């Protein structure tokens, strides 16, 4: 399908490929593929760009191959959005300079870096390049935003430590984007995000010497909560007792992260329920059974809080699996 100078393929392949032969059209496609961005280039007359993407649930992987250009997420563009996403770029060829939160990350092939779409950033490519971008809602990461915020515009190598495990997986998934549109797509997407969360946790542990004094305690508390989400007794008193601290101290830890103990537990339980409702493996399992597995013993209450969180009921989510939640909304 050809529109202006943009060629978009529409085949049985679940991926979408757009080839832009004009900078103006590339600029438009970029904003629709991710979040609204300000795009500039000194090579407009001879610009070439190709974007190939596929998504599952609210996770989207996009391979971008293009001429040199700069993208900026400005405060004005951020003000139009009400959904919070993380983006992670894996440089496959060329180099890129990411700037966010007063940090700069020079990225070379094999490097990855995280950035937050709800805060200003810029990403500059001074030569032809190829990159894989993973974009996903911040709620999918089981780490507080303030902690993850320590990693924005921090280069992470794919050649050592946890990066040597995670980056090859992302690269292989990027080479097989069509798999995200298949029966295992949701599981693959969530596996990618879980691996990224593991990478972030590993990087934060390496930096714990310079982290806040409550970093290690918070890490243990969050791990305990995730391990015990199915327990109906899970609450501030039990968590505080297990870690030999007062409930006041516990509430203070979560307040530092901009949340509460109860909100964190509820969010993590709802996310696990959402994953299982989307997973074809659990298609025959009653909604109430999935809710109970993750600590929601009152089915009507579960349906209410689920709809408040995700904008649809658990049953509606299941029915819409084949027609929605495949691609991220362009207005995010």
């Amino acid at each position: 399908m050809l529109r202006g100078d943009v060629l978009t393929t529409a085949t049985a392949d679940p991926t979408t490929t757009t080839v832009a032969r004009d900078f103006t059209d590339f600029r438009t496609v970029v904003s629709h593929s991710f979040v609204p961005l300000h795009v500039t280039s000194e090579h407009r007359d001879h610009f070439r760009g190709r974007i190939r993407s596929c998504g599952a649930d609210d996770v989207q992987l996009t391979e971008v191959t293009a001429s040199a250009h700069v993208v900026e997420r400005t405060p004005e563009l951020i003000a139009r959005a009400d959904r919070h996403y993380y983006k992670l770029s894996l440089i496959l060829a060329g180099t890129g300079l990411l700037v966010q939160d007063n940090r700069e990350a020079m990225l070379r092939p094999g490097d990855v870096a995280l950035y937050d779409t709800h805060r200003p950033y810029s990403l500059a490519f001074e030569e032809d390049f190829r990159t894989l971008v993973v974009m996903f809602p911040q709620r999918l990461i089981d780490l507080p935003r303030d902690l993850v915020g320590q990693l924005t515009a921090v280069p992470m190598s794919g050649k050592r430590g946890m990066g040597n495990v995670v980056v090859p997986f992302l690269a292989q998934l990027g080479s097989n984007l069509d798999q995200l549109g298949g029966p295992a797509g949701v599981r693959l997407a969530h596996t990618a995000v879980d691996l990224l969360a593991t990478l972030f946790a590993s990087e934060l542990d390496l930096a714990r010497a310079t982290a806040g004094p409550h970093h290690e305690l918070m890490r243990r508390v969050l791990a305990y909560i995730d391990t015990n989400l199915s327990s109906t007794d899970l609450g501030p008193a039990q968590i505080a007792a297990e870690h030999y601290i007062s409930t006041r101290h516990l509430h203070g830890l979560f307040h530092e992260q901009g949340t509460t103990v109860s909100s964190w537990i509820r969010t993590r339980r709802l996310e696990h329920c959402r994953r299982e409702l989307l997973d074809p493996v659990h298609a025959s399992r009653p909604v109430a059974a999935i809710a109970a597995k993750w600590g929601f013993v009152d089915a009507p209450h579960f349906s209410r809080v689920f709809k408040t969180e995700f904008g649809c009921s658990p049953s509606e989510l299941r029915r819409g699996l084949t027609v929605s939640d495949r691609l991220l909304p362009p207005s995010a």
Side-chain angles (χ1 to χ4, degrees):
M1 178 169 55
L2 186 63
R3 179 185 59 79
D5 290 322
V6 179
L7 176 65
T8 301
T9 61
T11 66
D13 188 337
T15 62
T16 299
T17 301
T18 302
V19 180
R21 301 184 180 94
D22 173 88
F23 174 74
T24 301
D25 281 321
F26 178 81
R27 181 173 54 193
T28 301
V29 172
V30 164
S31 287
H32 279 81
S33 298
F34 302 108
V35 293
L37 295 164
H38 180 60
V39 188
T40 57
S41 176
E42 297 179 356
H43 308 278
R44 297 167 64 104
D45 295 339
H46 306 285
F47 195 90
R48 294 292 183 270
R50 177 179 181 269
I51 296 178
R52 184 168 182 259
S53 64
C54 194
D57 192 9
D58 267 348
V59 181
Q60 184 166 319
L61 272 71
T62 303
E63 183 186 74
V64 180
T65 305
S67 304
H69 67 272
V70 177
V71 298
E72 295 175 277
R73 182 73 165 154
T74 65
E76 293 76 17
L77 293 174
I78 293 170
R80 304 176 194 172
D82 60 359
R83 302 185 71 183
H84 296 213
Y85 291 91
Y86 289 126
K87 291 169 71 177
L88 179 126
S89 283
L90 163 59
I91 301 297
L92 301 171
T95 60
L97 176 65
L98 171 64
V99 179
Q100 187 172 59
D101 298 330
N102 297 315
R103 291 189 289 265
E104 295 185 359
M106 175 58 72
L107 306 175
R108 297 175 175 81
D111 290 341
V112 296
L114 178 74
Y115 39 118
D116 185 338
T117 68
H118 218 67
R119 296 205 298 279
Y121 69 81
S122 66
L123 189 52
F125 302 98
E126 295 185 350
E127 58 186 0
D128 291 355
F129 72 95
R130 183 163 63 97
T131 186
L132 179 69
V133 180
V134 187
M135 182 171 169
F136 53 93
Q138 294 183 3
R139 60 173 170 77
L140 295 185
I141 293 290
D142 60 348
L143 294 167
R145 290 177 187 173
D146 283 3
L147 287 181
V148 178
Q150 297 176 22
L151 296 177
T152 54
V154 173
M156 292 173 272
S157 174
K159 299 177 182 178
R160 61 176 182 270
M162 188 57 64
N164 199 31
V165 176
V166 177
V167 169
F169 175 85
L170 293 179
Q172 282 295 318
L173 190 55
S175 298
N176 297 274
L177 283 181
D178 59 302
Q179 295 300 313
L180 285 173
V186 172
R187 279 180 173 263
L188 279 172
H190 289 157
T191 296
V193 174
D194 288 344
L195 283 173
L196 289 178
T198 302
L199 173 63
F200 300 157
S202 175
E203 292 291 323
L204 288 168
D205 282 344
L206 290 174
R208 63 183 179 272
T210 59
H214 301 313
H215 173 81
E216 176 60 21
L217 175 58
M218 191 64 176
R219 186 193 66 78
R220 288 190 284 111
V221 166
L222 295 179
Y224 178 84
I225 289 174
D226 254 25
T227 301
N228 293 276
L229 284 174
S230 60
S231 171
T232 57
D233 295 328
L234 185 65
Q238 178 184 346
I239 297 168
E242 286 289 333
H243 293 84
Y244 304 100
I245 59 176
S246 67
T247 55
R248 181 178 180 179
H249 188 184
L250 179 68
H251 288 305
L253 291 174
F254 279 82
H255 179 73
E256 289 178 2
Q257 303 300 328
T259 187
T260 66
V261 182
S262 298
S263 293
W264 183 264
I265 293 171
R266 182 176 62 252
T267 298
R268 296 301 301 147
R269 284 173 168 167
L270 287 171
E271 187 54 44
H272 279 285
C273 290
R274 187 177 193 273
R275 289 192 179 197
E276 293 199 4
L277 288 167
L278 286 169
D279 194 335
V281 172
H282 301 289
S284 62
R285 193 171 190 186
V287 171
I290 291 175
K293 174 184 175 181
W294 295 106
F296 291 104
V297 294
D298 185 332
H301 170 72
F302 167 68
S303 293
R304 287 194 299 272
V305 295
F306 189 95
K307 189 166 186 175
T308 298
E309 182 77 12
F310 300 117
C312 64
S313 70
S315 298
E316 288 170 341
L317 180 70
R318 269 186 164 172
R319 288 197 300 270
L321 175 59
T322 58
V323 294
S324 67
D325 288 327
R326 284 299 183 194
L327 294 177
L328 294 171
S331 61

